[in-house]
Amino acid sequence: MTATVTGAADVLMRDYMALEPGETVLITADTDSDEVVWQAVLRASLLAGANASVHLIPPLPYQGRLADPYVTPALGAAALAADVWIDFTFPYLAGSELHDHAMETNRIRYLLGADLSAGGLLRLFGRVDLDHYFAVHHGFDALVNDAVGKNVRITDNAGTDVSFILGQRGFEKPRRADKPGTVLIPGQCTLFPEVESVKGRIDVGAMFHEYYTRLPSPITLEVDGRIQAISGGGNERTVADRALRRAGKDGGYGYVIHFTHGIHPTARVTGGSFVEDTRAMGNNAIGMGMPWWDPGGGENHPDAVLFMHTIDIDGQRVVEDGAIVGPEPLAALAADLQPLAG
């Protein structure tokens, strides 16, 4: 059976978001969002028997709390009346005061859809067996959970060499969003460092600072606890610098607050979608700013993208050039994770 955008939207809503007839769905999008995506999700929601609507806004200049001045009362009322909130704004509303209030209701299921394209929707939801994907995802999470307090080293062929002590897990990603809370698009596993322990050099090829872009030349981050310096990046370095200072404290840079490992078998690096590029196998979304447990922290952090990394945990090779290579049971499960035909 050939996968379609319509079918992928149905998987997203009825399977992943556990949508039930009669529920109220709000889809937020901006005028830069892919219209094919939000229209497909709207149709899928209506066909599932939901009460669905779309709220279209101008693109936000910033994400998180920095978006607060641009959130209208009408948008706030619509979001707080929803059972399921699908957010395709980018920069996104996650981390904003409105998003916080929505989560405090302990009723709303929120998906951070960000800049998902029609091709991305098709690949990420229409051409993958989600049960098999989550078996790999949860296997990787279990490996990380068992390694808390151990040393992690991440390298790549571009010159990256950074180490850190693995911190406590921040959250688990469910197979189905059948409980209130925030969920992300499947495709990446997260590693949270002890932020003061991060040391080394990170060379990145793309960045979401105020917008998402491939870089004309790599940006190098020098990290010793906090980010100490950035270099390279051509004309994008100026934008990256102000975004990092905006997310930092007292005019300086912040920390590296998360690393990730992309494991989605059909995600592709197109250069046009942050949410898909960072889910391609072996890619790493590196969040930068203040820790989320500090007041105002983690809500407006820029992300940098590292391509095709290698990961060693406690001296053991886990990922090599983007592929999971150990331990053997997890490597075998990951090797069997293939795109669905069609």
Side-chain angles (χ1 to χ4, degrees), residues 137-294:
H137 186 124
H138 292 151
F140 193 93
D141 278 355
L143 175 69
V144 170
N145 290 343
D146 289 343
V148 169
K150 295 180 179 178
N151 184 264
V152 178
R153 183 185 181 194
I154 296 178
T155 57
D156 70 2
N157 292 326
T160 294
D161 193 342
V162 61
S163 298
F164 56 91
I165 302 300
L166 196 58
Q168 294 290 331
R169 295 288 299 167
F171 52 86
E172 298 294 334
K173 298 178 182 178
R175 164 63 181 86
R176 300 184 82 233
D178 55 2
K179 294 181 175 58
T182 294
V183 294
L184 307 177
I185 289 176
Q188 61 184 189
C189 303
T190 310
L191 299 91
F192 292 103
E194 296 287 349
V195 295
E196 294 283 2
S197 73
V198 182
K199 291 180 171 58
R201 165 186 171 135
I202 306 172
D203 287 274
V204 297
M207 186 172 281
F208 169 36
H209 34 50
E210 294 173 3
Y211 45 87
Y212 178 59
T213 184
R214 294 291 294 265
L215 299 170
S217 62
I219 280 182
T220 298
L221 308 169
E222 300 291 346
V223 189
D224 188 352
R226 285 179 181 254
I227 297 169
Q228 302 296 318
I230 68 170
S231 59
N235 56 321
E236 293 295 334
R237 186 174 69 252
T238 299
V239 187
D241 180 82
R242 68 176 177 238
L244 287 169
R245 293 184 187 280
R246 189 184 296 119
K249 197 172 185 180
D250 300 325
Y253 303 135
Y255 300 90
V256 174
I257 57 177
H258 70 67
F259 296 87
T260 67
H261 173 56
I263 62 170
H264 201 290
T266 58
R268 298 291 176 260
V269 178
T270 67
S273 172
F274 170 75
V275 75
E276 183 177 13
D277 285 8
T278 55
R279 282 155 176 77
M281 283 191 168
N283 289 352
N284 188 332
I286 299 168
M288 300 163 291
M290 300 307 294
W292 60 89
W293 54 85
D294 287 352

Side-chain angles (χ1 to χ4, degrees), residues 25-85:
V25 175
L26 173 68
I27 302 163
T28 46
D30 61 48
T31 52
D32 287 344
S33 302
D34 191 330
E35 185 175 349
V36 174
V37 172
W38 59 256
Q39 286 196 358
V41 172
L42 175 63
R43 285 194 297 272
S45 301
L46 294 171
L47 288 171
N51 303 306
S53 62
V54 177
H55 194 110
L56 192 66
I57 64 173
L60 299 164
Y62 313 112
Q63 79 271 27
R65 283 283 178 172
L66 296 177
D68 287 351
Y70 308 93
V71 176
T72 65
L75 173 56
L80 293 175
D83 299 302
V84 177
W85 177 9

Side-chain angles (χ1 to χ4, degrees), residues 17-25 45 48-52 82-84 107 109:
M17 294 306 298
L19 183 62
E20 297 288 343
E23 289 192 305
T24 297
V25 175
S45 301
N51 303 306
D83 299 302
V84 177
R107 189 192 79 250
R109 311 193 301 280

